[in-house]
Each structure stands twice: as structure tokens, then as C-alpha cells.
Amino acid sequence: MINIEKHWYDVVVIGAGGAGLRAAIEARLAGKKVAIISKSLFGKAHTVMAEGGAAAAMGNVNPNDNWMVHFRDTMRGGKFLNNYRMAELHAKEAPERIWELETYGALFDRTKDGKISQRNFGGHEYPRLAHVGDRTGLELIRTLQQKIVSLQQEDKAQHGAYDARLRVFAECTITELLLDETGGQKRIAGAFGYHRESGEFVLFEAPAVVLATGGVGRSYKVTSNSWEYTGDGHALALRAGAKLINMEFLQFHPTGMVWPPSVRGILVTESVRGDGGILKNSEGKRFMFEYVPDVFRKQYAETPEEADRWYTDPDNNRRPPELLPRDEVARAINSEVKAGRGTKAGGVYLDIASRRPAAEILKKLPSMYHQFKELADVDITAQPMEVGPTCHYVMGGVEVDPDTASAGVLGLYAAGEVSGGMHGSNRLGGNSLSDLLVFGKRAGEYAASYTDTLAKRPKVNDKQVAVAVEEALTPLARDGGENPYTLQSDLQDVMGDLVGIIRRKGELQESLSRLSELRERIRKVGATGGRRYNPGWHLALDLRNMLVVSECTAKAALEREESRGGHTREDFPKMDSKWRQVNLVCALTPTGEVDLTHQPIPTMTPDLLALFDKSELAKYMTDKELS
Amino acid sequence: MTVRQFKVWRGDAAGGQLNDYKVEVNEGEVVLDVIHRLQATQEPDLACRWNCKAGKCGSCSMEINGMPRLGCMTRMSTFEEDETITVTPLRTFPVIRDLVTDVSFNYQKAQEMPAFAPPADVAPGEYRMQQIDVERSQEFRKCIECFLCQNTCHVVRDHDENKPAFSGPRLFIRAAELDMHPLDARHDRKEIAQQSQGLGYCNITKCCTEVCPEHIKITDNAIIPMKERVVDRRYDPLVVFGRKILRRDQLAATAPAGPTVHAGPVTVADGQAPVDFGRELTPPQPAEVNPSGHVNLNEMLSDRAAAASPFGDDITFPVNPNSLNYYHPER
Ligand SMILES: Cc1cc2nc3c(=O)[nH]c(=O)nc-3n(C[C@H](O)[C@H](O)[C@H](O)COP(=O)(O)OP(=O)(O)OC[C@H]3O[C@@H](n4cnc5c(N)ncnc54)[C@H](O)[C@@H]3O)c2cc1C
Ligand code: SF4
Ligand code: SF4
Ligand code: FES
């Protein structure tokens, strides 16, 4: 008989990144019994990798900043496809969430008058990113981790055990959400998974689940994302009956290292550009001036001289074009490389060495200096870096209610990168870390209060559990199944080559047929070895999630016949106001196929619309909407 | 591309061995790349932790040619062309499988350490600190929790018996960080470090500093200042007086007596002392219970009279003094 470890919680949070930890803290503060589940060790989630900072309009550096300006920047960055209400809540609540971190023990860099320092970042009008050197994500996750420990200490004092009310299940992967469908309504009843260490199965019975599983980048070969990013949360939500929106929008970070191989995919933070770094092609030309789109013409410098003055006198000069939003920079680099002006490894040069004294670079970018020096023997104070577009972030995700983070299935909530809508077609740098905090808190809060409304706890259906067990064990039982690593690599090739940064109709069509071949092959994946800490088996189980999420991306990318933010179609290079009114929504049919539909996007309220210039709105909206 | 010789430890808690592998290595790769190639081409179930492959998460700790390192930060070009590279799991922690060890010790120690205490009268958003004051703590907050320092420290490496009393360098820098935090409301961090974290065991060998991939000056900037000031406080009559008027709950909350007499376990050569007081304590054994969960008090059911001995039922008297670690104070 199969042994299944059982646990009983009020709220189960899947994911121990910024969003998951913040949600867990909130649910615990609401008095609930909470489990935090994570595929890796506690404190190692992807959030540790964020470098640049967390955007919040605190106005510490430039007092002109406020939530309205932040809201405007976010909407512009997302090309007005954002869920306006999420963007509004985010801009309004981010400062509180950051200040709160200080009460948990965070130590941000300071301004002269002792407040939290804020730095410039692409797409933000004022210096807005709270940061700690270039390891802001680490600070964020460590702070939340330590806050959790402090709550556990309170629980120990009160109830006698650290994990009386808040327990971390590290190295535990959830493979299925369990639903109670009695009475004709789907409600979350729990989650099923396995301990990576032992391979033993585990069942969490809980009326509320918060998804905070991060992104999908592992479907691409050149990516900044780790093995965890296999789109588990996206796929779990789909299978539970929730919907994904905006899956065509993937952010390719413009400046990931392309050479040497030991650092391929590692990002060079935007602050290198914010602090004076410039982009040059193999001919040594600073090319960004040629790629300023009309919508941004007014805010960006036209000459290198003006751009260089901006660093010291931002009020009287326009900003350098290197600080354009990410997609513009990525596209510019891509064009240069395609035109034959790239480096051998297919990138361009990012040069800060020749523009700032070594000591200043060391002070401003210490961990980056140290990382490249040690990993690749590249000295960023002495030589330019070789950079190019890298798959980095998925804007699309689970469709949620803006205020409650509810995912449309009773008891299911989503926050962080796994949720969609907040960033529209493109995320501004730094908006993710604040997004995690703002919506992580909301998800925890509303998940907790949902459990209060229940007269009766939903019941786990034993049949579903049996199916989940069976599903998890088949790759191990299959003799001569296909190697999961080969399958993953083939999937990455399809996505990288055919659904990459610049997309075409023919290629997208081809990708769909290649993906359906892969779907068949993945059904026959096999894993050798036993159940104890077996990465081959783990990957075999992740593959089906990666596949379904890739299918959503490819389908939506084929459908959207325009270019906007993180979606660039070579055959439809312009932004089209008609497409701005549409979200592409993916759901699963009963047989497990991806079903794509159009859905109108919510109309912004008049008071928020009034924050924009009419002439600016004209670039995004149809005449009918404007009148 | 070249083909290189690797020895990788494979096995689990029950035991294991070094296996030989020939693996392709490309220019510019790191050890973790090679481990991944091994997984993809030869050993799909080779267990190894990693996340960021960028030296930021501290997951890929392993011992490479005996040195505690991050796999993703060890460039292949640092080895000779014909050198065999030996990769083994961290030695201080119990092996789970292959290169993966059970590092829960570190999380447990972190749990036992009193958390940041926010100042009572400062509202969120009103925290004011100078950069120069936060920088000292920020150095320690760079820690990526790779636990290489913990793995290296001789106090616990091969000395499981010291683990209960010793938190290790990772937690000493956490103590120092809080001690130097401009707004932390607790002022007994050093005492806690001394009394319940086992700071006294550290004899400043600096091995931890040497292996720290974040180049945190663990000994110079955290341990030594903490030790010095503990000494200051102990012998400064004013401070001693000041401490007396603190309420008990203002002092260390969890303060079991630390090793105040000897720094570390003392083992006396056989025959030199009547007892061996460095010996590990026999854990108290639970009494035998019957199926209903109760102790058999009835002589008819139990194999001996009265309740079971709290010292364990397998002890015969008189006890051989050499097996005790009790030292009579008057002898
Ligand atoms: C290199 C890099 C730099 C970045 N820099 C910035 C920046 O400067 N500013 C900014 O705002 N954003 C930045 N981002 C983006 C930001 O870091 C991420 O979007 C954000 O951290 C995502 O957080 P999260 O809480 O949603 O998920 P994560 O932190 O990724 O956590 C996901 C969690 O879910 C768990 N999980 C996943 N699947 C399962 C499963 N099936 N079962 C159980 N657990 C599961 C994982 O183990 C993990 O704990 C950066 C991202 C990268 C990669
Ligand atoms: S200096 Fe102290 S803590 Fe560091 S390794 Fe040596 S004994 Fe251990
Ligand atoms: S102090 Fe250094 S060696 Fe120790 S856990 Fe932190 S980063 Fe690793
Ligand atoms: S994989 Fe993150 S430190 Fe090596």
C-alpha cells in the first residue's frame, strides 16, 4: 500500500518566494494555521536573485513622486493593457509594504537624511527603487524568512512548538490541487505532492490554497530562471479550473550575459545603465539613440551630450535612451545583432568600465563585480560586458480578482509572478518585488477570511488522490521511457527558436505542431532510479506543466496580431488600439486541451483616466474610447 | 571541448562510494555545469541541489577536491587539464543522497535565536538610520546561507556531539548583525551568543572566513568584536551592576548555561582521570509502555518491580565510573 503523510491546515501557501512568504505571514497574523510549501530549501526561492530593487513611490529622493506618478508609469510600461485596478492598488500600497519590512528588520540603503534610499530604473519617472546594493531580493526574502521565524518563536512561547501554527515544508513539490465538487460547485479541498528528499507522498487538507509559485522561464534555453520555474502554479490553476491571461507576454531581459558560458543567462541589472553604462555594437557605436519610439520621444535625450548631463542634472535634461523600457532595449539589441553588428556570441557590448571610475563601480555594484570576477574572470571595472536578450519574466498568469487575489475557483488565490494582469504587456523593473508584497499580503488576508465564511470544511476526494499517486508513479514504473532531460531540451529548442523574442506567424504555427508532438512524447517519459531525491523523476513530473504553459504562450502569441510590450510580431510590427481592448484567456477543456478565448479588458475609471494627457491616451486608445 | 576525469560520491545515509566518470567540459564552464551534464547524459538520478547558478542562493554547496565550495562558482579553468576532480557532499551534515545533505541543523539554530526586536515607539515609515551605521550589519546580511562556514568549522565538523551547544559562524554573524543594528530594541545579543549559542567554543581559527563565498569577514568583523565586548561587559563593574537591575526577562530568554569552564569538550586520556567527562551523555531512556500507552506498574505484568528506571533498564549496578561523565566536584 502507498503511504501518504497527511496534514491539516487552514491555508496552504505553495511557494516560499516573496509573495508566498508575505501571504503566509498575513494568514498567520489573521490567526490561521498555515503551511508554506517550497520546492527548494527555505530562503532559496527565486526572489533571492532579484537585484535592482523594489519600486514604491515613497518620494524619499524626489518629493514630487507619489502613487499617481507610479500608477502612470506602470500603465505606460504595460502599454495600457494592465488591469488598472491592480496597478492602482499596487502603486498606493507599495510604500506601506516596504516600510513594514523595516519593522521586520530589513536594512535598506539610506539617503543622507536617514530615509530609505531610492534609485533610478528604466521606465520610472523618478528614483523609486528601494534597494540594498544589488542584492535587494536577498534582503527581501531573508527579512520575510526571519519574520516567519519570529512568529514561530511567538507560537513556541504560546503553544509550546515552533511550528504550532506556521510550518515550512521545504523541498516538497505539489503536483495536484484537490477539489471538492459536491453540490455542483468546485471548491479547493487540499493539495497533493511529494517530499523531494524521500519521495514520499504528502497530502494537505485545506480549504484555501495560495499559489505563489513564480514563473515559467525554464521553457527557454537562455534564461535567468532556475529549475524551479516550470510553470507549476500556472498549470495547477488551469487543471483546477482557473484561467490564465496574457500568456503571450514574456519579458526578455535585454541585458543577460551571453558570453562566457559559465555566466550565460545571468542578468546585468538595469542599474548598470541607470548608473551610466551604455550599449555599443561591435563597431563601437552607441546605438540606442536610433531606437527611441515616438511615444517616448519627449522624455529621452537626442544627443549623447544631453544624455550624459542627465546623470547629474536630471531636472533640466532628458534621460539617456539606454533607460528605455526593457522591451525597447531588447528589441534594439536584437535588431543590431540581426543586422550583423553584434558580437561573435550574438550580443552587444555594455560598457560602464570606460565611463565611471573603478572605485565608483565597485561601490555601486559590488556583488555584480564579484560575481563576474569569480564566475567568469570578467572585470566589469576594466572591460565591457557581452550582453543579449534573456528570458526573464512572465507577465501572463492566473487571472485574479484585483482586490482579493482570488483566482475564480472557491478557495484558490494567486499572487506574485504566477498571477497575471498587474503588469499588462510589460513589467517595469522593480515592480515585481513590490507586487509580491502588495498582492501577497492581500492573498493571505483574503484566503484567511474565506476560511471563516465556511460552514463546513471541504472534503478531499480519495479518488482524486489515487489518480494523483498513479500519475506521479508512472514515469518510474515505465521501462524504456524517454529521457526527461532530452525532452526538456527539445521543448526549450521549440520555444527558443519559434516562440522567442521576435515572432512570426509561420513559426508560431510550426511551434504548435511541434508542441503537440512533444505532448505525446511527454506522455511516455520515463525515469530511472528510486524515489529518494531523484532529479530525473522530478523533471519528468514537471514536464507536463512546462508543456501546457508553453502551449498557452504559443497559442496566444499566434492569436495576437500586433506588437506590444513583451510580444513582438515581425509580421505585425505596430501596436493596434483594437487589440488593447482584448485579453487572451486560456482555459483547459475537459480533455486537457488548451482553449483560447477573447475577453474585454476592464475600462479604467474616469478619475484614473484623468491622470493622463489626452494626447498620450490617443496613442493607445481607439477614437471611440476617447470620446 | 575536452574530456575530463571526475570522481563523484554516490550513495546515501547507509553508505556510498566514489564513482569514476569521464565528462565533456567546454570552455568557460563551472563544476555545476559538469554535474548537470552528468545528469543529462549518464546519471539522471544524481542528486544535487542548485537554484540560481549565479552564486546568489547558496544551494549548490559541495566539497570539491576536499574544499568546501559553491559548485556554480568554481570555474573548471582553475584546475589542471589532467587533474581528476573529486566531488563529495558536505561532511558536517548527514547525507541524504549523493551530493545532497540534511542541513536542517542550521535552520533549527536560526529558529532558536531571538529575532529582531522592533523599537516600540517608532512607527513604520519613521525609521531613520545613517548609511554608515547600517553598513556594518549589511555586511552580514549579504550571507546567502550556503552553510559552507558551518561545514568547515572544526567545532562541529566530525563532532556531532558539539552540535546541540554550538550555533556556528552563520549564526554568530546573525547575532553580530542584530547587535549592530541601529534600531534593534534588545541589548543582550552578546550575552545570548555567549550563553546559548556557544560562542565560547570558537577559538578563532578563521577557517569560516576563508570559505565564505560572500567574503564576509566572519571572524574579524563579527566573532572577535562579539567576544571582546562580552569580556568587557563581564568585567566592567558598572555593567555588572547595570545587569543586576535588569529584570530577568530582559536578559537572555533562553539561556541554558554555556561552557563557562572549558572551551569545548575535554577528553582526558584513559587512566588519567577516574571518569571521562567529555563523553557523550547517555540519553535518558523512556520507560517501557504497554499497548494502552501506560507504564506497567503491576508487578504481575512487568518483568521487574515498581516503575521502570529513568536511567534505562539496561544498567547494572554498581556502574563502572569510567563510563560516566559526571565529575564529583569535591574529588
Ligand atoms: C535574475 C533576476 C533578477 C530580478 N530582478 C528583479 C528586480 O530587481 N526587481 C524586481 O522587482 N523583480 C526582479 N525580478 C523578478 C522577481 O524576482 C520575481 O518575479 C519574483 O521574485 C517572483 O517571486 P514569487 O514570490 O512570485 O516567486 P518565487 O520567489 O520564484 O518563488 C516561487 C516559489 O514557489 C515554489 N514552487 C514552485 N512550484 C512549486 C510546486 N509545484 N510545489 C511547491 N512549491 C513550488 C518554489 O520552490 C519557490 O519557493 C528578477 C528576477 C530574476 C530571475
Ligand atoms: S573562527 Fe570560530 S567559528 Fe570560525 S571556523 Fe574557527 S572556530 Fe569555527
Ligand atoms: S556566512 Fe558566508 S559561508 Fe557562512 S553561510 Fe553565509 S555566505 Fe555561506
Ligand atoms: S546555484 Fe545558487 S549559489 Fe550555486
Side-chain angles (χ1 to χ4, degrees):
Chain A
M1 212 201 69
I2 291 285
N3 201 19
I4 302 178
E5 177 187 315
K6 286 201 174 120
H7 294 280
W8 196 91
Y9 283 94
D10 295 322
V11 178
V12 165
V13 179
I14 308 177
L21 297 184
R22 190 63 190 81
I25 289 172
E26 201 61 21
R28 154 64 183 73
L29 290 175
K32 299 298 163 204
K33 207 174 158 212
V34 186
I36 303 170
I37 305 172
S38 146
K39 290 212 274 191
S40 45
L41 290 173
F42 190 27
K44 311 272 180 222
H46 223 68
T47 303
V48 291
M49 293 171 73
E51 300 173 331
M58 297 182 283
N60 289 352
V61 171
N62 191 323
N64 293 330
D65 200 12
N66 57 42
W67 75 264
M68 289 170 278
V69 188
H70 191 182
F71 171 77
R72 260 197 326 242
D73 290 346
T74 304
M75 292 301 290
R76 277 180 196 139
K79 302 277 190 303
F80 278 72
L81 202 83
N82 320 50
N83 179 308
Y84 75 88
R85 176 67 179 156
M86 288 178 91
E88 179 192 0
L89 287 171
H90 169 257
K92 280 182 175 161
E93 293 176 5
E96 274 168 60
R97 295 286 87 78
I98 297 289
W99 285 325
E100 205 166 59
L101 290 182
E102 288 198 301
T103 70
Y104 300 170
L107 284 173
F108 290 101
D109 286 349
R110 318 305 297 183
T111 61
K112 284 218 171 56
D113 50 356
K115 296 180 185 167
I116 296 175
S117 168
Q118 298 185 272
R119 69 153 60 123
N120 278 308
F121 228 65
H124 293 282
E125 192 170 338
Y126 297 114
R128 188 176 287 145
L129 268 66
H131 58 94
V132 186
D134 46 9
R135 52 165 193 87
T136 315
L138 173 67
E139 184 70 12
L140 190 108
I141 204 157
R142 202 63 83 229
T143 302
L144 294 172
Q145 182 184 349
Q146 285 161 353
K147 173 68 180 175
I148 283 177
V149 165
S150 106
L151 290 171
Q152 288 178 324
Q153 288 171 352
E154 284 175 23
D155 291 344
K156 165 120 189 250
Q158 202 182 344
H159 304 282
Y162 287 115
D163 49 17
R165 288 202 288 176
L166 185 55
R167 177 159 170 201
V168 182
F169 292 83
E171 303 209 297
C172 178
T173 304
I174 296 299
T175 59
E176 217 63 76
L177 297 179
L178 304 167
L179 299 169
D180 181 340
E181 298 178 53
T182 49
Q185 198 169 29
K186 276 190 186 170
R187 290 175 303 163
I188 288 290
F192 173 87
Y194 60 88
H195 289 291
R196 291 166 56 82
E197 282 182 9
S198 59
E200 295 295 326
F201 293 119
V202 52
L203 170 67
F204 296 91
E205 293 191 356
V209 166
V210 178
L211 292 173
T213 54
V216 305
R218 266 286 127 185
S219 309
Y220 288 82
K221 201 151 258 163
V222 186
T223 175
S224 60
N225 295 175
S226 85
W227 64 269
E228 293 190 301
Y229 268 25
T230 50
D232 292 6
H234 292 78
L236 288 171
L238 275 179
R239 290 202 291 269
K243 294 176 186 154
L244 304 186
I245 59 169
N246 295 345
M247 288 304 291
E248 65 276 34
F249 298 112
L250 279 169
Q251 189 169 60
F252 286 80
H253 195 288
T255 56
M257 290 294 273
V258 295
W259 187 259
S262 56
V263 287
R264 175 179 304 137
I266 292 185
L267 299 184
V268 181
T269 106
E270 263 134 339
S271 40
V272 172
R273 283 172 279 136
D275 287 334
I278 58 167
L279 291 164
K280 293 196 230 167
N281 61 22
S282 58
E283 293 160 6
K285 179 160 184 225
R286 185 174 176 183
F287 58 82
M288 278 309 295
F289 290 100
E290 287 157 30
Y291 291 94
V292 183
D294 290 339
V295 278
F296 291 114
R297 213 43 89 217
K298 263 190 356 211
Q299 291 113 300
Y300 287 85
E302 275 160 49
T303 62
E305 292 71 33
E306 180 180 2
D308 287 347
R309 284 195 302 269
W310 174 86
Y311 297 108
T312 44
D313 181 13
D315 287 335
N316 298 313
N317 294 286
R318 289 172 298 174
R319 34 186 39 226
E322 276 82 9
L323 294 181
L324 276 162
R326 297 184 156 164
D327 51 325
E328 308 290 355
V329 179
R331 210 169 305 152
I333 295 176
N334 204 60
S335 309
E336 285 295 305
V337 174
K338 286 227 162 136
R341 293 187 291 269
T343 67
K344 248 202 313 206
V348 296
Y349 293 110
L350 172 55
D351 181 16
I352 188 164
S354 71
R355 296 181 41 91
R356 295 283 179 269
E360 191 184 324
I361 301 174
L362 265 176
K363 170 83 192 56
K364 289 220 157 128
L365 305 159
S367 76
M368 221 181 73
Y369 167 78
H370 146 91
Q371 188 182 4
F372 287 132
K373 185 76 193 145
E374 247 168 70
L375 275 173
D377 209 12
V378 169
D379 181 350
I380 62 167
T381 65
Q383 67 199 89
M385 294 163 257
E386 257 185 85
V387 298
T390 302
C391 178
H392 181 52
Y393 184 91
V394 57
M395 269 69 73
V398 181
E399 185 184 30
V400 290
D401 171 65
D403 287 82
T404 64
S406 157
V409 175
L410 278 178
L412 187 63
Y413 297 79
E417 190 169 342
V418 69
S419 68
M422 154 76 204
H423 304 288
S425 69
N426 194 15
R427 173 183 71 99
L428 293 187
N431 265 6
S432 172
L433 291 185
S434 40
D435 163 23
L436 307 181
L437 296 170
V438 169
F439 293 102
K441 171 180 182 289
R442 282 180 167 269
E445 182 180 344
Y446 285 94
S449 69
Y450 162 78
T451 64
D452 288 335
T453 65
L454 292 172
K456 200 169 99 224
R457 277 175 79 92
K459 256 186 80 99
V460 168
N461 176 336
D462 291 338
K463 273 208 214 86
Q464 286 178 19
V465 178
V467 173
V469 168
E470 159 102 22
E471 186 89 40
L473 289 177
T474 25
L476 282 175
R478 190 173 283 134
D479 268 339
E482 233 188 300
N483 180 333
Y485 296 95
T486 314
L487 283 169
Q488 182 189 32
S489 154
D490 290 355
L491 177 70
Q492 289 173 336
D493 285 341
V494 173
M495 294 307 282
D497 296 346
L498 305 177
V499 200
I501 178 165
I502 309 289
R503 300 160 177 179
R504 297 172 195 87
K505 181 169 186 181
E507 291 181 352
L508 290 167
Q509 282 165 335
E510 190 189 335
S511 78
L512 284 172
S513 67
R514 299 262 299 268
L515 286 172
S516 68
E517 283 164 29
L518 273 167
R519 180 179 269 250
E520 288 314 309
R521 288 170 61 197
I522 286 171
R523 284 217 179 100
K524 297 191 209 102
V525 64
T528 55
R531 275 164 70 185
R532 292 176 62 91
Y533 220 111
N534 181 348
W537 178 42
H538 301 162
L539 178 59
L541 295 179
D542 291 342
L543 279 172
R544 62 175 183 150
N545 297 338
M546 295 173 70
L547 180 86
V548 72
V549 172
S550 300
E551 283 178 339
C552 291
T553 298
K555 275 205 159 168
L558 177 61
E559 184 80 2
R560 185 173 284 276
E561 298 189 324
E562 66 157 352
S563 292
R564 178 185 297 273
H567 171 67
T568 307
R569 283 283 296 262
E570 202 178 63
D571 37 0
F572 298 95
K574 288 235 161 58
M575 206 153 71
D576 181 342
S577 314
K578 280 204 300 292
W579 274 106
R580 194 202 67 82
Q581 298 166 285
V582 184
N583 272 336
L584 295 177
V585 181
C586 295
L588 280 195
T589 64
T591 54
E593 310 286 316
V594 174
D595 179 37
L596 184 85
T597 48
H598 289 215
Q599 183 174 294
I601 81 164
T603 328
M604 221 191 290
T605 53
D607 54 321
L608 293 176
L609 264 182
L611 294 174
F612 297 91
D613 242 24
K614 254 267 161 57
S615 64
E616 180 172 10
L617 292 176
K619 288 174 201 139
Y620 298 102
M621 300 195 170
T622 58
D623 297 340
K624 215 170 106 205
E625 282 176 281
L626 287 172
S627 57
Chain B
M1 192 201 78
T2 52
V3 173
R4 305 281 281 268
Q5 188 73 34
F6 267 74
K7 277 182 188 297
V8 180
W9 194 88
R10 308 255 1 230
D12 54 28
Q17 71 289 324
L18 283 170
N19 287 0
D20 287 298
Y21 299 100
K22 285 200 160 49
V23 205
E24 283 176 14
V25 174
N26 300 317
E27 194 197 325
E29 287 187 329
V30 291
V31 171
L32 187 64
D33 288 318
V34 179
I35 300 284
H36 283 161
R37 183 156 309 120
L38 257 179
Q39 285 180 332
T41 57
Q42 305 180 33
E43 297 279 357
D45 66 337
L46 169 64
C48 168
R49 283 196 184 106
W50 71 284
N51 258 24
C52 64
K53 211 173 114 27
K56 287 179 169 262
C57 71
S59 302
C60 61
S61 306
M62 51 183 83
E63 299 195 0
I64 300 171
N65 287 349
M67 270 297 285
R69 307 282 315 244
L70 294 178
C72 72
M73 296 287 276
T74 308
R75 271 179 289 137
M76 286 302 299
S77 60
T78 55
F79 304 104
E80 298 297 326
E81 280 282 327
D82 52 356
E83 199 174 344
T84 300
I85 295 148
T86 308
V87 186
T88 48
L90 297 183
R91 193 164 91 195
T92 304
F93 310 115
V95 168
I96 292 173
R97 218 169 78 86
D98 304 342
L99 301 177
V100 175
T101 55
D102 175 1
V103 291
S104 55
F105 165 75
N106 306 290
Y107 290 98
Q108 216 172 311
K109 291 294 173 187
Q111 236 169 9
E112 288 163 9
M113 158 149 210
F116 171 70
D121 47 355
V122 188
E126 297 303 319
Y127 283 46
R128 296 288 177 271
M129 297 175 257
Q130 288 306 314
Q131 183 61 31
I132 189 160
D133 296 327
V134 298
E135 253 161 30
R136 293 196 306 168
S137 293
Q138 279 182 337
E139 176 188 3
F140 307 129
R141 288 184 75 84
K142 284 196 311 203
C143 170
I144 57 173
E145 300 206 324
C146 63
F147 308 128
L148 288 177
C149 56
Q150 305 280 87
N151 173 61
T152 307
C153 179
H154 67 95
V155 177
V156 281
R157 193 173 171 95
D158 298 329
H159 287 283
D160 276 347
E161 70 278 11
N162 288 340
K163 282 184 180 168
F166 185 71
S167 295
R170 159 64 186 122
L171 278 309
F172 297 152
I173 63 166
R174 169 81 172 134
E177 169 214 322
L178 289 169
D179 186 49
M180 297 172 190
H181 190 301
L183 291 177
D184 180 42
R186 284 186 84 120
H187 300 290
D188 55 353
R189 301 284 176 191
K190 297 172 207 75
E191 287 79 0
I192 298 173
Q194 189 71 17
Q195 288 167 4
S196 51
Q197 291 192 296
L199 186 65
Y201 282 77
C202 163
N203 52 354
I204 321 189
T205 56
K206 300 205 180 183
C207 312
C208 48
T209 305
E210 234 162 76
V211 297
C212 177
E214 285 294 309
H215 305 301
I216 298 170
K217 301 261 184 323
I218 303 174
T219 25
D220 290 2
N221 293 352
I223 296 179
I224 295 175
M226 296 279 283
K227 279 188 178 251
E228 277 169 358
R229 277 183 286 150
V230 170
V231 173
D232 288 352
R233 287 222 183 167
R234 281 234 175 117
Y235 297 111
D236 182 337
L238 257 182
V239 175
V240 169
F241 177 69
R243 279 178 51 172
K244 282 209 187 100
I245 55 175
L246 286 176
R247 283 196 324 272
R248 236 190 99 77
D249 60 355
Q250 289 171 309
L251 282 171
T254 50
T260 44
V261 188
H262 26 258
V266 179
T267 354
V268 182
D270 279 339
Q272 296 255 304
V275 294
D276 173 7
F277 47 85
R279 184 173 157 270
E280 201 181 341
L281 282 170
T282 322
Q285 296 186 351
E288 198 182 342
V289 293
N290 61 28
S292 64
H294 296 289
V295 179
N296 287 321
L297 287 180
N298 189 312
E299 281 176 37
M300 302 300 287
L301 294 175
S302 178
D303 59 355
R304 65 188 69 85
S309 160
F311 302 105
D313 284 329
D314 54 355
I315 292 186
T316 45
F317 294 91
V319 178
N320 172 5
N322 276 320
S323 70
L324 295 177
N325 56 3
Y326 168 74
Y327 191 70
H328 196 290
E330 272 149 49
R331 244 184 259 161

